[in-house]
Amino acid sequence: MTRPRIYLFGDSITEASYVGGGWGAALTYHFARTADVVLRGYSGYNTRWALKVVERVFPDDGVSPIAVTVFFGANDACLPDRCSAFQHVPIAEYKENLQAIVSFFKKRWPATQVLLLTPPPIDDEVRLQYPYIENPANLPERTNQHAGLYARAAVEVAEETGVPVIDFWTIMQQTPDWKTYLSDGLHLSPSGNTVVFDQVIKKLGEAGLSLDALPVDLPLIAEIDTKDPLKAFEFLQK
Amino acid sequence: MTRPRIYLFGDSITEASYVGGGWGAALTYHFARTADVVLRGYSGYNTRWALKVVERVFPDDGVSPIAVTVFFGANDACLPDRCSAFQHVPIAEYKENLQAIVSFFKKRWPATQVLLLTPPPIDDEVRLQYPYIENPANLPERTNQHAGLYARAAVEVAEETGVPVIDFWTIMQQTPDWKTYLSDGLHLSPSGNTVVFDQVIKKLGEAGLSLDALPVDLPLIAEIDTKDPLKAFEFLQK
């Protein structure tokens, strides 16, 4: 019995989603008995690099996943004249790259649910406290305003390609204390991880990929008759 | 490129290893760029049920994992005259079942590293505070002394079958405050999860399955030249 698969494709916000109670780990537990959640997170990657590797990351092994999340933009949105400029990708190219990634998935796996996730907001001031690279100018390498342009672009790509999108930049800022969703002004805090988990579950559910809809692989303990436990496993002999 | 796979096969201590900062989630993050850690945890299951489902859980898909952890015994060790008796498996049968599971893996995947994990210790008193089933007699359904017999049996199976084992029952009790490794007298607390993660990483490393030994799938951000990032991806054209 091959389990249905859900791929998580993205940058460090995806790769680190298995740290603490991250959204990736929470998805794995949520789908523990129904689907395999498979991590394909690449810290630091922008869409330019993601597009270069996507064919290699997802070889044509004949097995289509039921869903794939595409979560890039936080690195593309690095400002072109600041310390992390080497990760910057201009917005027009970001859109093209994202479109190409979506097209790749649609062509390889026509029945797979592709789900776009926009970059989360940025806490400009806090970014200065967590430099990941030398920052002699002491200016934030990412800003919330600039990340917002990339989030908007990702929403446009979703509309143009007809795939669902979760606009985390907008959704998170609807909460007054949205900055608590971030641990270092860029990556997710525990509460930010919960927002992402909840939204992804909701969106997958809208696409018919919920615990109610997916079959459980083997009897749950609650379904096992305490007076005759082996009865629950008789179907395996058939 | 198909990633090497590490399966985690076990009961709720495996299934819940993706909750919070659990050992399974920590393994997934540890191997994020080298191997897929695949959850096959079945809450409530003992070795009798595990043996019934093992063929179904691990179909012959032609892909051998690099390792599989086998972590059963906590349910087998339920006392036969207490409220969770339906999960109890006598020690002699537990040993036979565990041997059969190891044999199944050795036959299906001759090159795969099988790793046995013994049940952790039990905090008898705390078990009364977290009943998972009606317990009118108000007696612990599992005891530390009884779990120890199953841990000993698992170690014997490891010796007999020639596979490595981690004896958590013994290892954890070498620490005076070992009861803090448990959240409900049975399942792992955050510190207990850390012990399991550390020990599994160590044992996999001894078998040659470490980050040093396994190839990274694609360039790490630290290896990417900030002055010429695309150079790191040139190898993909070759």
Side-chain angles (χ1 to χ4, degrees), chain B residues 14-82:
Chain B
T14 295
E15 185 171 343
S17 70
Y18 282 77
V19 177
W23 66 276
L27 278 173
T28 296
Y29 184 60
H30 182 81
F31 289 112
R33 300 294 291 277
T34 52
D36 286 332
V37 180
V38 185
L39 176 61
R40 290 293 179 271
Y42 295 89
S43 285
Y45 278 42
N46 53 34
T47 55
R48 187 185 290 162
W49 308 346
L51 188 55
K52 288 225 172 277
V53 302
V54 67
E55 174 90 37
R56 177 114 166 177
V57 173
F58 301 99
D60 193 1
D61 61 3
V63 184
S64 300
I66 54 174
V68 55
T69 59
V70 180
F71 200 170
F72 287 101
N75 297 315
D76 302 65
C78 286
L79 292 162
D81 56 354
R82 301 274 170 92

Side-chain angles (χ1 to χ4, degrees), chain B residues 8-147:
Chain B
L8 311 183
F9 186 41
D11 53 32
S12 57
I13 299 174
T14 295
E15 185 171 343
S17 70
Y18 282 77
V19 177
W23 66 276
L27 278 173
T28 296
Y29 184 60
H30 182 81
F31 289 112
R33 300 294 291 277
T34 52
D36 286 332
V37 180
V38 185
L39 176 61
R40 290 293 179 271
Y42 295 89
S43 285
Y45 278 42
N46 53 34
T47 55
R48 187 185 290 162
W49 308 346
L51 188 55
K52 288 225 172 277
V53 302
V54 67
E55 174 90 37
R56 177 114 166 177
V57 173
F58 301 99
D60 193 1
D61 61 3
V63 184
S64 300
I66 54 174
V68 55
T69 59
V70 180
F71 200 170
F72 287 101
N75 297 315
D76 302 65
C78 286
L79 292 162
D81 56 354
R82 301 274 170 92
C83 63
S84 291
F86 77 105
Q87 290 168 289
H88 167 76
V89 171
I91 290 185
E93 186 194 333
Y94 170 70
K95 279 192 70 172
E96 283 172 17
N97 293 340
L98 214 48
Q99 273 159 339
I101 291 168
V102 172
S103 295
F104 170 85
F105 288 133
K106 285 188 152 192
K107 193 175 168 195
R108 172 139 303 177
W109 302 317
T112 297
Q113 181 64 57
V114 179
L115 180 52
L116 278 183
L117 315 184
T118 81
I122 295 287
D123 186 339
D124 302 14
E125 283 175 41
V126 171
R127 283 306 307 131
L128 293 177
Q129 297 163 35
Y130 296 91
Y132 291 121
I133 196 166
E134 270 190 85
N135 186 5
N138 200 35
L139 291 168
E141 86 295 349
R142 293 165 173 86
T143 63
N144 193 39
Q145 184 269 336
H146 201 233

Side-chain angles (χ1 to χ4, degrees), chain A residues 25-40:
Chain A
L27 279 174
T28 296
Y29 184 60
H30 183 81
F31 289 111
R33 300 293 292 277
T34 53
D36 286 333
V37 179
V38 185
L39 177 60
R40 290 293 179 271

Side-chain angles (χ1 to χ4, degrees), chain A residues 41-115:
Chain A
Y42 294 89
S43 285
Y45 278 42
N46 54 32
T47 55
R48 188 184 290 164
W49 308 347
L51 188 56
K52 290 224 172 278
V53 303
V54 67
E55 174 89 38
R56 177 112 166 180
V57 174
F58 301 98
D60 193 1
D61 61 2
V63 184
S64 300
I66 53 173
V68 55
T69 60
V70 180
F71 201 170
F72 287 100
N75 296 315
D76 302 64
C78 286
L79 291 162
D81 57 354
R82 301 273 169 92
C83 63
S84 291
F86 77 106
Q87 290 168 288
H88 167 77
V89 172
I91 291 186
E93 186 195 332
Y94 171 68
K95 280 192 71 172
E96 284 172 17
N97 293 340
L98 214 47
Q99 274 159 341
I101 292 168
V102 172
S103 296
F104 170 85
F105 288 133
K106 285 189 152 194
K107 192 174 169 196
R108 173 140 301 178
W109 303 318
T112 297
Q113 181 64 56
V114 179
L115 180 52

